[in-house]
Amino acid sequence: MGCSSSKTVRNSNETLATASKVTSAPTHDDEFIEAVVCQETDIGENQMKQVELGEGKVLLVRQNGKLSAIGSKCSHYGAMLVTGALGEGRVRCPWHGACFNVETGDIEDFPGMDSLPCYRVTVGDTGEVKVRAKRSELATNKRTRVMAKRESQDERTYVVIGGGPSGATCAETLRQEGFTGRVVLINKEPCLPYDRIKVSKTMDMNLEKCLLRTQQFYDDSEIEVMLGTEVTQLDGAGRELTLDNGYKIRFDKAYIATGSKPRRPPIEGASDLRNVCVLRTAEDAKEVNGQLGPEKKVVILGTSFIGLEAAAYCVGKVAKVTVIGRGAIPLKESFGDAIGKRVMDLFQEKGVEFVMHSGITRCIGEAGAVKQVELSDGTLLDADICIFGIGSTLYTEFLQNSGITVNRNGSVNTDQYLETNLTGVYVGGDIANAPVLSNEGQQATIGHYPLAQYHGRIAALNMLGKSTPLKAVPFFWTVLFGKSFRYCGYGTPEEVIIEGDLEALKFVAFYIGKAGRVIGMSSCQRDPVVAQFAEYSSQGKVLHKADLSPNPLAWLPAQS
């Protein structure tokens, strides 16, 4: 059922509704509900309005003189979209940046897997707005797009290497966009694709509840999923993959999104002792979580997001958490000095200890398990668990001699369609050195979850010949002790301008690059400003330092 708005003849005994309160008697049947939800004059051009329909809610949008109605909540984590950012033809989630087409409800940027339901809109002669919706869609607020079926006469094979969010999105998009050949999704992990961002944030995660899709979904969509299987060689000339089980697969086109693996430093004892851990997979999270206890002491090497999220999760569950960092403050590269220092203060307020300008030189064990770590200055710290969060390397070793050019850091260059130097082979996610719209189209290698999913969708479209260039605007977030930090953009700033109350963690930060260009923006407790900046950037618009004075938020759309 498509979204539409049209004039209809109103029955003379109908009662009009005002604002978002339904005052007319709704039409009921077993499957649908239809009712007047507001007056046409209640919503202006380029505005959104959340209205009630029966026991559910609907998002009304007016653009270019047309009214549309879609689901009211983001299909990712349920943020109310009326509080998000309205762009040209789409609405962006205020929390994590997912985008939905306002006319179809289709998801166009990520995170998330599902689209939104789309409802029929009609406008009566005297301006009453009526919406008709399926009851089931009102209840779920989600819609899975129709998937094409495999056709035996279609002998093409498209292979997706990597079972993370990028690979899962690519495989699904191929079917959504009508591909009827063979789709094979190869995952090195022994489980279906899941919401990996929970690994360091919520280590007691229930894997089944975090799956992006069920096995039944893949079976129904005729997507072959090979779990616990690794590609060991790719023959670009012969169009053939070799797997670690000896199986070979011929392919017509391939998408590679093998992601990254945590870096394990060459520290004495690090590879030999139990309870020296990294955090990348659900199994890693399960291993660490199983070791936690009120008497345990945890040492974390690294002040990355992974390290800090792990520290925040552990601190209330163990006797002591110590974070070791080589710099002066955490998150300086991402947020700058001032915000990094405020984050450090927050952690210290919560009981996390820091040892900065330091590192670990040795892990000391007893009965095969770590018991202490030795720091750069010789200090010994008791440690029942040691977690490394010091970055990652890329899973691209198997591409050696494939015909695909691999950079020294393991990344692979792509064009604006995510295609490599090898025709018909595409890459995305962590391993892609791909153009970034908000980076003036320059290539960058970025390990963000939503961007990986976006890559998967764009690659699938281009694999199918539906020429679609990247319009990447990186967006990421973290939650630390209940405070949500969001960031959009890319690049190394020369200056950071903070508007708001940093001490109260209620601020917006502007990252100024060369020639005074705003290359990024972060916030805490100031939604939806970062989502609005992301949508501003996605339209090719650019802010400069001069635009921030005297009002740093003057660029925002006028509030309704």
Side-chain angles (χ1 to χ4, degrees):
M1 180 184 299
C3 295
S4 64
S5 60
S6 60
K7 294 289 184 181
T8 59
V9 177
R10 183 176 65 89
N11 189 295
S12 60
N13 62 7
E14 278 188 30
T15 303
L16 296 182
T18 58
S20 61
K21 183 179 180 182
V22 178
T23 58
S24 66
T27 300
H28 292 277
D29 62 32
D30 290 340
E31 189 176 1
F32 292 92
I33 182 170
E34 183 173 22
V36 173
V37 295
C38 69
Q39 283 292 112
E40 189 177 17
T41 53
D42 292 334
I43 179 170
E45 178 67 15
N46 284 320
Q47 287 186 1
M48 300 184 289
K49 184 178 185 64
Q50 182 173 283
V51 296
E52 294 181 3
L53 179 61
E55 297 180 355
K57 291 181 171 61
V58 170
L59 183 70
L60 281 179
V61 181
R62 183 193 290 277
Q63 276 199 333
N64 301 317
K66 181 178 181 180
L67 277 175
S68 300
I70 59 175
S72 62
K73 295 187 293 185
C74 178
S75 63
H76 181 228
Y77 282 177
M80 289 296 181
L81 292 174
V82 72
T83 65
L86 181 60
E88 185 59 43
R90 66 184 190 178
V91 58
R92 184 182 289 267
C93 171
W95 291 355
H96 307 132
C99 295
F100 302 90
N101 187 291
V102 298
E103 293 195 17
T104 66
D106 289 348
I107 188 168
E108 295 183 346
D109 205 346
F110 302 85
M113 298 299 291
D114 290 305
S115 293
L116 299 178
C118 177
Y119 308 122
R120 190 177 71 186
V121 182
T122 55
V123 181
D125 287 342
T126 53
E128 69 276 18
V129 177
K130 185 180 287 188
V131 176
R132 186 172 190 261
K134 276 189 176 182
R135 296 178 183 278
S136 59
E137 292 183 337
L138 272 177
T140 62
N141 196 76
K142 293 182 180 181
R143 174 178 58 86
T144 302
R145 291 182 58 190
V146 175
M147 311 285 275
K149 293 295 185 181
R150 175 83 191 276
E151 295 181 359
S152 58
Q153 65 269 30
D154 190 338
E155 298 181 350
R156 294 173 296 169
T157 296
Y158 284 8
V159 175
V160 178
I161 307 170
S166 195
T169 301
C170 180
E172 187 169 325
T173 304
L174 288 171
R175 284 286 186 243
Q176 290 172 350
E177 296 295 329
F179 182 66
T180 58
R182 185 185 181 198
V183 178
V184 183
L185 174 62
I186 303 172
N187 188 10
K188 188 174 60 156
E189 285 191 66
C191 55
L192 294 171
Y194 58 91
D195 189 351
R196 194 183 297 279
I197 61 173
K198 293 183 180 293
V199 168
S200 56
K201 295 178 174 68
T202 314
M203 292 185 216
D204 59 351
M205 59 186 287
N206 181 319
L207 181 58
E208 287 300 312
K209 293 181 179 180
C210 294
L211 295 180
L212 300 181
R213 297 296 190 197
T214 63
Q215 184 63 55
Q216 188 64 54
F217 174 88
Y218 290 112
D219 291 344
D220 292 345
S221 304
E222 297 181 273
I223 296 171
E224 301 173 44
V225 182
M226 304 180 71
L227 302 178
T229 305
E230 187 173 358
V231 176
T232 57
Q233 186 177 357
L234 186 149
D235 177 0
R239 299 279 161 167
E240 186 175 72
L241 301 176
T242 301
L243 309 182
D244 60 357
N245 58 11
Y247 189 55
K248 294 181 183 292
I249 301 178
R250 296 292 300 271
F251 66 88
D252 294 280
K253 291 185 181 180
Y255 177 61
I256 307 169
T258 40
S260 56
K261 54 186 174 183
R263 189 185 302 277
R264 282 185 175 269
I267 294 172
E268 181 184 340
S271 60
D272 305 324
L273 299 173
R274 296 192 306 276
N275 304 339
V276 178
C277 311
V278 294
L279 282 170
R280 173 65 179 175
T281 68
E283 192 60 34
D284 293 335
K286 181 179 179 181
E287 179 184 354
V288 172
N289 191 62
Q291 298 297 324
L292 301 181
E295 77 288 355
K296 297 296 181 67
K297 296 180 179 179
V298 178
V299 174
I300 299 171
L301 178 62
T303 56
S304 64
F305 288 106
I306 295 293
L308 292 185
E309 289 167 358
Y313 177 82
C314 292
V315 71
K317 303 173 180 65
V318 297
K320 184 179 181 181
V321 174
T322 305
V323 176
I324 313 299
R326 66 180 180 183
I329 58 174
L331 303 182
K332 175 180 178 179
E333 292 78 11
S334 299
F335 289 148
D337 288 340
I339 297 173
K341 179 62 169 62
R342 180 63 187 92
V343 169
M344 188 174 180
D345 291 343
L346 173 65
F347 272 67
Q348 289 171 329
E349 292 164 11
K350 299 295 184 179
V352 177
E353 297 185 13
F354 287 86
V355 179
M356 304 305 286
H357 297 297
S358 188
I360 295 176
T361 59
R362 184 164 59 116
C363 293
I364 303 168
E366 181 180 305
V370 66
K371 285 300 177 184
Q372 289 183 314
V373 297
E374 182 178 339
L375 303 186
S376 302
D377 63 358
T379 300
L380 296 179
L381 292 180
D382 291 339
D384 300 293
I385 306 166
C386 181
I387 301 171
F388 292 148
I390 54 171
S392 58
T393 57
L394 304 178
Y395 274 119
T396 51
E397 296 93 335
F398 72 98
L399 295 179
Q400 187 175 4
N401 302 319
S402 66
I404 298 172
T405 302
V406 180
N407 298 322
R408 291 184 63 182
N409 67 352
S411 67
V412 178
N413 292 340
T414 80
D415 62 14
Q416 63 178 329
Y417 305 103
L418 287 174
E419 194 168 22
T420 68
N421 64 293
L422 195 61
T423 303
V425 177
Y426 300 75
V427 302
D430 294 4
I431 70 171
N433 191 45
V436 177
L437 176 65
S438 59
N439 190 35
E440 300 181 291
Q442 297 180 49
Q443 291 174 311
T445 305
I446 301 172
H448 294 170
Y449 188 98
L451 184 59
Q453 282 198 276
Y454 177 64
H455 280 175
R457 177 177 182 268
I458 295 301
L461 292 171
N462 288 307
M463 291 168 75
L464 296 173
K466 300 181 178 183
S467 181
T468 309
L470 276 173
K471 294 184 178 179
V473 178
F475 191 112
F476 73 85
W477 71 93
T478 188
V479 180
L480 304 171
F481 296 111
K483 302 296 184 184
S484 294
F485 296 82
R486 317 202 191 285
Y487 177 92
C488 172
Y490 181 78
T492 302
E494 297 181 349
E495 181 184 2
V496 181
I497 298 173
I498 298 175
E499 187 273 331
D501 189 341
L502 181 56
E503 182 61 29
L505 288 172
K506 191 172 184 179
F507 66 86
V508 180
F510 303 87
Y511 299 88
I512 314 300
K514 294 178 180 178
R517 182 170 175 267
V518 179
I519 60 173
M521 190 177 297
S522 70
S523 77
C524 185
Q525 299 189 82
R526 291 288 296 271
D527 291 338
V529 64
V530 173
Q532 289 169 319
F533 177 67
E535 199 55 33
Y536 187 93
S537 299
S538 73
Q539 296 171 22
K541 299 177 182 178
V542 177
L543 274 179
H544 289 86
K545 181 179 178 180
D547 299 323
L548 306 180
S549 180
N551 178 6
L553 301 177
W555 55 275
L556 289 173
Q559 298 299 307
S560 60

